[in-house]
Amino acid sequence: VARGLYAAGCSFVSSYPGTPSTEITEETAKYNEIYCEWAPNEKVALETAFGASLAGRRSFCGMKQVGLNVAADPLFTCSYTGVNAGLVIGVADDPGMHSSQNEQDSRHYAEAAKIPMLEPADSAEALAFTKEAYGLSERFDTPVFIRMCTRISHSQSVVELGERTELPLREYTKNIGKYVMMPGNAKKRHPVVEARTEALRDFAETTWLNRIEWGTDRSVGFICSGTSYQYIREIYGESASVLKLGLVWPLPVEKIREFAAGVGSVTVVEELDPFIENHCRQIGLVPAGKDILPCVDEFSQNLLAGRLGATVPEGLPFAEKLPGRPPVMCAGCPHRGLFYTLAKHKVTVIGDIGCYTLGSAQPLNAVDSVLCM
């Protein structure tokens, strides 16, 4: 994604750190051509990135899935206003909750805010989709989501870097009806958003982001995106017939029906919620999905192979017993002394997310509740 921002001519980044999204901004900061900053929170980050877009600069804002909740206020409004220069919002979901307090599915935000969402399946697509997102943002006058997940964010694959496209500053023109969302103006903008959604739905039918890959086996067809696509290819190789969705909102209708007509049955493979599956049911299909696949935790090759009736690879057992290594606060962390004192005085502590949550673990045992930041 960072290289995609560079190649697309992005020149302003404001983000809030949150694994697995943090590395995007850290890597982007290495490019002198892009101004990067950490904001106090995700709401401020998105408002600042929108300000840069308004001023004519391609901009980016990054966060993790729970951070999108904090940014929801400006998110829903900038869907109505649209953009000047391209605005891309990177959100990284955390199936399996490796470092998160919930397992929410950010695709629901794309649908609720009526903002298109792209989901890459490897590093090369992360670069290509990020570049494409800026084109879509300016073509359809909308912010665009790039949805990552832990497994894609923390993996590596071969990438053709490409050169940076230097873009002139887009002229800002004062337009109160477009950018001031008082009720009278917002009422006029809502139909614009609905028309944009219909245009994006038509775009979803023909874009290279969504592609049908016919395999030698058409008894079952798999509809998937992101990391789920990689697992299906690992299990079945080139024999599987797959509809790979890179644009996960809005979803196509006729392309899905075309694919379903070419296979014996359809199985939707997606992590977390039945987002694509529900869309398939709304357009008259009856796919397999969450009746055989879980809606909790992240998938793996072996999990999917077992649930889909394929051969589960056998690995060698690791017999050696290793000592437990629970996460602890860093050596010298000043919070250690604070939590020690709080525990000693047996007070009730309402804590904070992040590494402070470790104050609840032994031997400190000092935090009673952690709800949010």
Side-chain angles (χ1 to χ4, degrees), residues 230-248:
Q230 301 292 359
Y231 295 139
I232 291 298
R233 282 289 173 230
E234 288 175 18
I235 296 167
Y236 295 102
E238 297 303 314
S239 66
S241 293
V242 176
L243 170 55
K244 181 190 178 299
L245 298 171
L247 179 63
V248 294

Side-chain angles (χ1 to χ4, degrees), residues 81 231 282:
T81 65
Y231 295 139
Q282 288 172 353

